[in-house]
Amino acid sequence: MTTITLNDVKAKQAELNNMISQLVEQASKPRQITIGTRTIELHPGERYAGAMLEEDGTLSHDVIVLAARFEGRKDWQGVQDWAKAVGGAAPSPEEFALIKANCADVLTESWYWTDRTHADEASCAWHVTSNGGTNNGHKSYQGGALAVRRSYFSVL
């Protein structure tokens, strides 16, 4: 049987501390994903939901779910304000379809406010259920909050 000394343990502990420091540094740096010819930078905790298309089929923008999570519920204006405060915006109903398809695990509330006011009734806005349904309700109702950032394509 090999004898373990205090110096052996200290050396292993120093090695582990170094590995932990490297992991912490890695986790705090943005990472990049490449899709075709474009590179998308994701900050720690962000999720790539997908690309939005224009009506003619050209690429519009990438949708990135921010790392910030709001626990609880807010009225429609509260969601818009919170999303802006964390550096993003509330998703559109169309962007929610990408989130549901590619990042469903971030949807923990039963429904979420979108960024869209109802066209015929200014006191109402659209919301999306975590199972994918779309409906509208009075802006004073308390719903879930999610924030996205949009990375627009540049035309060269």
Side-chain angles (χ1 to χ4, degrees):
M1 179 174 191
T2 306
T3 303
I4 299 172
T5 67
L6 182 56
N7 285 340
D8 294 336
V9 172
K10 286 181 178 180
K12 284 289 184 193
Q13 184 63 49
E15 182 182 350
L16 283 173
N17 287 341
N18 185 39
M19 290 172 68
I20 290 169
S21 294
Q22 288 177 14
L23 254 176
V24 168
E25 184 180 338
Q26 253 179 287
S28 68
K29 290 183 179 179
R31 66 184 177 96
Q32 294 182 335
I33 59 173
T34 301
I35 301 173
T37 59
R38 59 188 208 283
T39 300
I40 300 127
E41 187 170 272
L42 296 176
H43 302 285
E46 290 184 338
R47 299 280 302 278
Y48 179 74
M52 292 296 300
L53 303 177
E54 299 288 353
E55 286 184 22
D56 66 2
T58 60
L59 294 171
S60 169
H61 62 277
D62 288 304
V63 178
I64 296 128
V65 179
L66 295 183
R69 300 285 184 266
F70 183 81
E71 298 294 326
R73 297 170 161 265
K74 288 185 166 289
D75 65 12
W76 183 84
Q77 188 60 54
V79 169
Q80 309 314 303
D81 294 343
W82 171 79
K84 184 177 180 181
V86 298
S92 70
E94 297 81 9
E95 290 168 337
F96 260 110
L98 287 175
I99 295 167
K100 171 68 178 139
N102 299 318
C103 306
D105 60 306
V106 305
L107 302 175
T108 58
E109 294 292 328
S110 59
W111 63 274
Y112 291 83
W113 282 117
T114 72
D115 66 349
R116 192 155 309 146
T117 296
H118 193 282
D120 297 328
E121 181 57 55
S123 65
C124 293
W126 292 98
H127 57 83
V128 176
T129 62
S130 53
N131 68 3
T134 304
N135 207 338
N136 66 74
H138 199 276
K139 290 179 178 179
S140 65
Y141 296 166
Q142 301 288 303
L146 198 63
V148 298
R149 72 178 165 88
R150 298 169 179 114
S151 178
Y152 288 90
F153 299 109
S154 59
V155 179
L156 300 176

